[in-house]
Structure formats: structure tokens, C-alpha cells
Amino acid sequence: MSEPLQEVLPLNRPTGVESASRSWRLAAWWRRGVFTTLVLAQTVAGIWAMLGILPYHGATGVEFALIVLFALLFGWISAGMWIAVFGFVVRRGGGDRLSLLQRHRHDLGQTPLAPTAVVMPIYHEDVERSMRGLRATYRSLERTGRLAHFEFFILSDSRDPEYWLAEQEAWHRLCCELGAQGRLHYRRRRVNLKAKTGNVGDFLRRWGQRFRYFIVFDADSLMCGDTLVRMVRLMEREPQCGILQTAPALINARSPFARLQQFSNHVYGPLFTSGLAALQLGEAAYWGHNAIIRTQPFMRHCGLRAMRGLGLFRGPVLSHDFVEAAYMSRAGYEVWLEPELHGSYEESPPSLDDELTRDRRWAKGNLQHLRLLVGGRGLHFAHRMAFLNGILSYAAAPLWLGFLILSAIEAARLTLWPIDYFPRPYSPFPAWPQWHPDWALVLALATAVVLFLPKILALTDVLLRRARRRAYGGYWRLSAGILLESIGSVMLAPVRMFAHTRYVLGALLAIRVHWTGQNRSEELAWGPTLLRHTPAALIAVGWGAFGYYLSPEFFYWSLPVAIPLLLGAPTSVILSRFAWGERLRRAGLWVIPQEAGELAEPLLVDLDKGPLLREAPPGLNAFEMTVLDPHHNALARRLARTDRGPRGRLVEELRTRCREEGPQGLSVREASLLADSREALAWLHRAAWMVGPEQPWGARTNALAVAICNSPGRGVPSGKTSQPDRTEAAVLCERESQRSGSS
């Protein structure tokens, strides 16, 4: 292991660095002041209009609660609108002069590089997709000629041997294909503590001293080699920068849902990320992936202990990234979001239900930030606001639902009960209810402007750049795509509201959230989807019936929420179908620049190049292939451990039972124990090929024998039939096993 790298601390900043820091901090206060004034002014105007609409002008308890909820919701969407406006101004002005890229646009190319690790934590992921993405990134970096400064680490937390055996095989094939031995590493933790944070922490304890920086990938991350190089150079130019976050764009979408998300990300995303970066400057958030981190200060200041409170505030911090950024800033380092660092990508879940499954964990993690928002010591105000924004991303759902329920109560009270002229207790003066339909129309139009102005600005931003306009298919296809996206968002919003409300309530009730892998490549089935969406559909029917009972006007007002909930299941299933996504692509709708034309992304070509994993014979899973196939067996033995003590005795019992009863009776834990035992793998490999055809392993050896003897390059005469003798196949396997063991 090399000597630890000396770290430049922000306490010893050069004079120019301190001047730049003062400059962006003054600009941040000025920009945030203008932003806050605009949001507050718009929110106050909305509250004033809402007070005029309500019959008692907020004098009753229900109306007062409506005003409070309206203020929170309207203020939150107003903040989003003004962030987009800021982003539009920055982009039309040629970029933010205070951003790191703008500061170093002339001298970045001459900056030397430093040792950097690219780490990819994975847990029960799509192995083929994850490794192909890593392969594409590796090849892109290799083309820059700067590969010698980087090493790659696959950090597995997978527990099911069906996943981690495939990961090992894919890693080995990658090393052979890329000639990456000694540069592409694989490590699987046998004890899974603290999920992703524990996985990265284990890497840092073992290898962190070797690298000045490390770049964090998700399983679906994809980055251009030039982007990786520029990130390291920016960190070298800015010794006070602790974390540099890119703005990853969605890519490789296949289903209509994923393509909708991808299109929105590419059209609207640049405005929001540019506006957010302009407001946060050196106090940005860390998003957990596609970012570069300065190793030593992260190890010193960003360790996360388990929370020791009650309920929601007990246990590990689930959304760790925002907290790590806040701790890095508290230690005196800067955290930057750089939206102009292109070539950083990730993928969208293929369906709404998969997105909502991921949101369950994110909802609880963001709500945990309430404790840091209120009681975090020494945290910067900007990071507290980032916590608040994350909390509202999920808390807005129950707030919106509460607003709808209170609106229904208000309508029912005015319809079913006589008018109350004395809503204030003990007041001698009557209150005459007043209705202002014209004010209601004005407020509705104002809300529509707040929601749709970012889309209009994004459309304008694209149209003003000829290359981007052509890459999206021209004006008409781009406009049609935005119209379809708006309709899709309207249909999905109530479904998300209902799901997020359940997640928030579950988090507040301290219901445990399980850490699971994410589906990235499968469509939804009708049966389970109907079951998941039935409760929301029944509520929608009840909601509509109640609205019709009250008045036709209230019924029509409830339809934009009731109809999407009623159609939640078919909407989710249809939007998960890959065939429909391909039809949209061929029609030129929801197309992004990276898919075609002048801006086509070479990474996508590398991503689609040939599979890594060899397809197993029918009926054989990864564990069975590891036992039987000599190549798989030899690789697994090299990565397995030697058994001793009680564990060794347990493995001996399991391997005997596995030989006699077959692998189908093993639990996941038992199969994992055998697959991680060097002695058990060697013993089972020999034993499985020696049993008779009537034994449980007989059919499996027959299946593999057919595959081995019919595959090219195995030394079998071309005239052999597809049903070879098992003895001959066993001899061939033994020969391959000896060859693999000596290689």
C-alpha cells in the first residue's frame, strides 16, 4: 500500500482562494435575499387572494387550516418556479461566472491529476446492466489516455448467491476483456452493516489512504471519461472543495414511464439545476452518486452514527447524502453543484410502481432530517434549507391531501348545514359569508402560471439553441412531447400523492423500511399492480360519489384527482411496457439529444455492446452453475474462504445434504454458506458429476453436459449428437476444472 497522501486543508488557503470564497459568499447572500423576497411576496399575494375566496375569510377553524396548508403548498411551488426563472436567466447569460468551471475554463487542461478511486456500491442489482455500464465508463476513460490515475472498485453487499455469484463472474469477464487486472477490483462484504454508508465506509477504511479522491457511482451510473478527468482537475484547482456534485441526466430509457421521466429531465432539468446551483453556490447538496469527494476530510468529518432517538429518529440515517454534505460544510469545506459538467448519466426506474418503491425509503430518510433541521449543531443555513426542501418533497403529499379533505368539509358544511352567521364564538357581530368567483378564477390562473411557467421557459431555452432544437425533433415534436408529458404528469401526480402520504404516515409510525435491490429492467404484471392500486381506486370512487352528492360543481372539481386514482393500475402497467416506449421513440416523441443526431452519446453504443454473462443452460441457476461448471467453480473457489471451527462443521453437513437431496432444498443462507466455502465447492463439484442420472443432480449434469459438448472450442468432434454420454462430459469438465485451477 502506498503512503497516505498529504491533504491540503482549507485552513491554509491561498490568497486567491480566500478572495474567491468571499466573492461567492457575498453573491449567495444577495441572490438568496432576492429569491426569498420574490417567493414571500408571491405567497403573500396568493394568501390574500385565498382569503378573499373563502366565505368567512379565514374566520372559522376549517378555513384557517385551509389558509395554513395553502400557504405552505403555494410557497413551495412558488420556490420551484423562481428557481427555474433563476436558471433561465443564468443559462441565457452564458453560465454562472462564479461556478468552478467558469473560473477555470482557461487553465483546467494543464492541471495534473491525482490518484482517484471510482467506487460502485451494489446490492441485488441487475448484474448485466451494472457491469456493462462500468465497462462503458472504463473504455471511455481509457480513450482519454488518463486511465493510469484511476482504479475501479465494485463494492458488493449482495446476500443472495444468485446475485453475488453472477457479480463475480461478470467482474472476472470484465477484467479479461478490458485487461483490467489490478485496476478493476471486486469486494463483497460478508457482514452488511449500515447499508450503503457502511459499504463505502468499509472501502475507505481499507483503501482510502491510497486515493486523494473517490467518485461514487450507483449501479445505473454512467460517466464519460473526459468528465471524470475534469472533475479531478477541478478538485485539484479548488483545494477548499470537499464535494463536487454533477447533475446526472437520465439515459437509456425503454418504457414510456422512463422515457417521460427522461424527457422531463433533459428539457426541464437544466433550468432547475442551473437555478439551484446559482443559489447554493459553495453550499450545495450531495446527491449520493455521480460526485467526486475529497477522501481525507470525508473520512475525518462525515462519519454517520446511528440515531438514538425514538421512533422515526432511531436507527441508521437512510438519506445520508444531504447529511454528509452538511457535515463537510460544517468542517470548513465547500460543496459545489456543477450543472455544466456534462457526460454524467443515470437511469430512471422502468415503472411508476418501481419509483414509488424506492420513494418509500427516501421518504423516511428525508423525514429523519427534521431532527437535523431543528437541532443540528453548527450546520449552515443553506443546508438546513436543503433539508427542508427534501422534507417537503414528501410531506407535500399529505399536506395536499389534507387541503383536499378540508375543502370537501368546507363544501359539505356550506351545502348540508344552514349558514352560520356567528362563526366566532361569543362575538356579538354577525359575519356575512361572501363568495368571489372572479377571485377564484384569478387564483386558479395564477397557480397554473406558477406550475407551467418553468415548462414554457424550458421550451424557450431549447428553441433558442438550434442544435438542441433539432436534437429534440424540431419545434412540433418538442411541443407535442411537452404537451404529452404535462398530461402524463397530471395523471401520475394524484397516484404519487396517495403513495407518499402512506409513506409519510408509515415513517411517523416508525414502520420499518427494508433495504432491497431495485428493478431496472422488468415490466409490471397486471395482478399485483391491480392489488396495489385498489385502495386508491376505491377512495377515488367514494370521493367522486360524495362530490356528486354535494353538488355537480364539487364533483367536477374532484375529477382531476379522482380519475387518475381510479386509473392508477392501468396507467402504471401501460407506462411500463417497453414496446410502447419503442413506438414513442420511433415516432420521434420524448426523444433526447443523446439518442440520435449530432449529440448522440458514444457511451450508449458501448453500453449496448455484447452481453458479459454467458447464458446458463435451461433449468440451471447461478449456484448450480457454480457447482457444476469448471470455470465458474474455479473462480468461486479462488474468492471463497476456508472453513474452520463450527462453521466448517455446519458446511460439511450442508454439502452432504445438498449432494443427496439436491440444491432445491437449500435456503438462501445455506446456499450462500456453501458458495462461500472453498472446500465445499471443490467437494460438490466432484460429487455432483459422480452421481447417477436418477439422483437430484443427475438432470442438472445432463443439461450442462449437453451445453458443454455442443459448445465450440471444447474439443468435441463436430459429428457428435446433442445428447452426449455423461461420462464423457464429466471427463471434459474435469479437464476444464484442472485447466481453470492452474490458470
Side-chain angles (χ1 to χ4, degrees):
M1 182 178 291
S2 60
E3 291 296 320
L5 296 167
Q6 295 298 314
E7 185 56 52
V8 181
L9 296 178
L11 301 176
N12 303 318
R13 294 175 177 171
T15 305
V17 172
E18 290 205 2
S19 175
S21 177
R22 285 196 297 269
S23 176
W24 75 254
R25 290 183 189 278
L26 289 173
W29 279 106
W30 165 250
R31 293 176 184 182
R32 294 168 191 172
V34 173
F35 172 78
T36 303
T37 301
L38 292 170
V39 172
L40 288 178
Q42 185 167 288
T43 304
V44 169
I47 293 172
W48 180 74
M50 188 67 180
L51 284 170
I53 292 171
L54 294 174
Y56 295 103
H57 310 307
T60 67
V62 172
E63 290 189 355
F64 179 78
L66 278 170
I67 289 296
V68 171
L69 293 179
F70 175 83
L72 291 171
L73 293 169
F74 193 76
W76 191 59
I77 63 173
S78 296
M81 186 204 79
W82 285 110
I83 287 174
V85 171
F86 270 60
F88 181 79
V89 172
V90 167
R91 287 177 62 79
R92 298 318 307 158
D96 191 345
R97 62 181 179 82
L98 296 176
S99 72
L100 301 188
L101 267 181
Q102 289 286 337
R103 280 194 237 162
H104 301 290
R105 59 184 181 275
H106 299 303
D107 55 7
L108 196 61
Q110 290 75 43
T111 307
L113 298 176
T116 304
V118 179
V119 302
M120 185 174 73
I122 54 176
Y123 176 76
H124 290 179
E125 298 286 353
D126 182 338
V127 177
E128 182 72 36
R129 163 59 187 88
S130 301
M131 299 303 178
R132 284 164 65 180
L134 201 62
R135 176 177 65 183
T137 299
Y138 190 99
R139 282 177 169 164
S140 179
L141 182 60
E142 193 174 35
R143 287 193 290 268
T144 68
R146 305 291 179 178
L147 182 62
H149 298 277
F150 295 82
E151 290 186 40
F152 290 75
F153 291 81
I154 303 164
L155 308 177
S156 174
D157 260 346
S158 299
R159 303 181 187 184
D160 189 335
E162 292 302 307
Y163 285 95
W164 59 261
L165 289 172
E167 292 165 4
Q168 292 178 356
E169 178 69 16
W171 161 75
H172 180 255
R173 289 180 176 273
L174 264 184
C175 288
C176 295
E177 179 182 331
L178 300 173
Q181 293 85 350
R183 192 167 300 281
L184 175 58
H185 313 280
Y186 175 85
R187 190 274 287 130
R188 183 179 72 88
R189 283 200 304 171
R190 293 179 172 89
V191 180
N192 306 70
L193 296 176
K194 298 174 66 175
K196 182 179 178 179
T197 56
N199 198 355
V200 174
D202 179 78
F203 159 78
L204 292 174
R205 285 188 294 271
R206 293 172 183 267
W207 298 288
Q209 298 293 337
R210 291 174 51 193
F211 303 100
R212 182 170 293 169
Y213 311 109
F214 68 100
I215 298 172
V216 184
F217 273 27
D218 261 358
D220 59 352
S221 293
L222 199 64
M223 293 190 76
C224 294
D226 182 62
T227 304
L228 295 173
V229 171
R230 296 171 77 194
M231 291 167 71
V232 176
R233 284 174 168 165
L234 281 173
M235 295 292 280
E236 286 288 280
R237 284 286 177 180
E238 296 285 338
Q240 82 287 356
C241 182
I243 301 176
L244 176 59
Q245 175 68 59
T246 66
L250 295 180
I251 205 168
N252 200 35
R254 297 170 57 200
S255 68
F257 175 82
R259 295 195 67 80
L260 181 151
Q261 298 290 93
Q262 178 180 267
F263 178 79
S264 303
N265 172 267
H266 282 261
V267 176
Y268 314 139
L271 258 65
F272 286 102
T273 53
S274 296
L276 195 61
L279 289 170
Q280 293 177 332
L281 292 175
E283 295 174 317
Y286 164 46
W287 299 353
H289 58 92
N290 292 54
I292 185 170
I293 300 174
R294 196 174 294 271
T295 306
Q296 291 300 322
F298 188 86
M299 294 174 65
R300 190 179 302 121
H301 303 293
C302 298
L304 300 181
R305 297 178 179 177
M307 305 177 77
R308 298 181 179 179
L310 298 175
L312 171 65
F313 306 113
R314 185 174 184 83
V317 179
L318 296 181
S319 291
H320 56 90
D321 36 22
F322 277 27
V323 183
E324 289 161 345
Y327 285 1
M328 185 70 83
S329 288
R330 185 175 64 180
Y333 289 84
E334 298 172 4
V335 181
W336 286 85
L337 168 63
E338 187 49 76
E340 294 303 315
L341 268 174
H342 303 300
S344 175
Y345 304 106
E346 61 176 329
E347 292 184 5
S348 167
S351 70
L352 174 63
D353 287 24
D354 291 307
E355 179 196 81
L356 295 177
T357 299
R358 180 189 63 184
D359 283 352
R360 182 189 297 272
R361 185 177 70 252
W362 287 6
K364 184 173 182 178
N366 278 274
L367 289 174
Q368 285 179 327
H369 295 163
L370 279 167
R371 183 169 179 174
L372 292 168
L373 173 66
V374 177
R377 290 182 296 178
L379 301 184
H380 294 191
F381 182 76
H383 289 287
R384 295 184 193 272
M385 292 299 98
F387 289 151
L388 180 61
N389 183 62
I391 292 166
L392 284 175
S393 297
Y394 296 96
L399 294 178
W400 180 20
L401 181 60
F403 183 83
L404 294 175
I405 292 173
L406 290 175
S407 300
I409 293 173
E410 178 79 350
R413 190 171 63 83
L414 294 173
T415 303
L416 303 178
W417 281 272
I419 296 176
D420 183 7
Y421 293 99
F422 295 91
R424 293 189 179 92
Y426 312 112
S427 174
F429 304 105
W432 303 95
Q434 301 175 3
W435 287 268
H436 296 284
D438 51 337
W439 286 28
L441 180 61
V442 170
L443 184 58
L445 291 175
T447 304
V449 169
V450 172
L451 292 173
F452 289 97
L453 181 61
K455 298 178 186 289
I456 297 172
L457 292 177
L459 174 63
T460 305
D461 183 60
V462 174
L463 293 178
L464 290 175
R465 304 187 183 205
R466 183 179 180 184
R468 289 191 72 204
R469 182 176 71 246
R470 291 175 58 188
Y472 284 106
Y475 173 79
W476 292 110
R477 282 193 172 91
L478 176 62
S479 301
I482 290 177
L483 178 61
L484 277 177
E485 182 276 330
S486 300
I487 296 172
S489 297
V490 168
M491 292 295 294
L492 296 176
V495 182
R496 287 191 174 111
M497 173 197 69
F498 185 79
H500 288 175
T501 300
R502 290 192 292 113
Y503 299 161
V504 170
L505 294 177
L508 295 176
L509 295 174
I511 296 176
R512 185 177 179 183
V513 176
H514 296 284
W515 183 35
T516 59
Q518 299 181 33
N519 169 44
R520 304 184 191 274
S521 58
E522 295 181 4
E523 300 177 347
L524 294 180
W526 276 102
T529 306
L530 285 169
L531 287 176
R532 282 192 296 268
H533 289 271
T534 294
L538 293 176
I539 290 175
V541 171
W543 178 274
F546 179 69
Y548 189 79
Y549 171 75
L550 286 179
S551 68
E553 292 81 6
F554 187 82
F555 171 72
Y556 296 135
W557 177 83
S558 68
L559 288 182
V561 175
I563 290 177
L565 288 176
L566 188 62
L567 300 178
T571 300
S572 299
V573 171
I574 292 172
L575 290 182
S576 76
R577 294 294 185 248
F578 296 144
W580 284 99
E582 180 61 21
R583 290 189 182 101
L584 287 168
R585 190 189 66 80
R586 290 178 179 174
L589 295 173
W590 292 345
V591 173
I592 61 170
Q594 286 79 1
E595 291 179 324
E598 303 172 7
L599 304 178
E601 178 54 71
L603 274 178
L604 279 180
V605 178
D606 283 339
L607 184 65
D608 292 335
K609 281 184 178 176
L612 275 171
L613 294 172
R614 189 175 60 192
E615 187 175 354
L620 294 183
N621 59 31
F623 174 74
E624 294 161 354
M625 283 291 292
T626 300
V627 170
L628 297 176
D629 186 274
H631 290 290
H632 289 243
N633 191 270
L635 174 63
R637 292 203 313 270
R638 284 176 174 267
L639 298 176
R641 57 182 174 180
T642 301
D643 300 314
R644 294 185 180 91
R647 184 180 186 275
R649 291 190 291 272
L650 174 60
V651 168
E652 286 183 9
E653 296 174 4
L654 287 175
R655 74 187 191 185
T656 302
R657 177 156 65 89
C658 181
R659 181 193 62 181
E660 296 174 354
E661 301 177 6
Q664 68 275 5
L666 296 175
S667 67
V668 171
R669 179 179 176 275
E670 291 170 341
S672 187
L673 284 171
L674 290 175
D676 198 23
S677 167
R678 186 172 296 132
E679 293 81 6
L681 287 172
W683 188 88
L684 280 172
H685 178 66
R686 291 191 298 269
W689 280 102
M690 297 300 293
V691 300
E694 72 283 354
Q695 297 295 321
W697 283 100
R700 294 169 174 83
T701 53
N702 276 332
L704 186 58
V706 172
I708 289 176
C709 293
N710 286 337
S711 62
R714 294 281 184 168
V716 180
S718 58
K720 285 286 184 182
T721 65
S722 61
Q723 296 295 332
D725 181 77
R726 292 181 68 256
T727 304
E728 178 188 6
V731 171
L732 289 171
C733 273
E734 185 64 26
R735 187 187 307 162
E736 290 289 343
S737 181
Q738 293 171 358
R739 185 185 306 167
S740 300
S742 61
S743 63

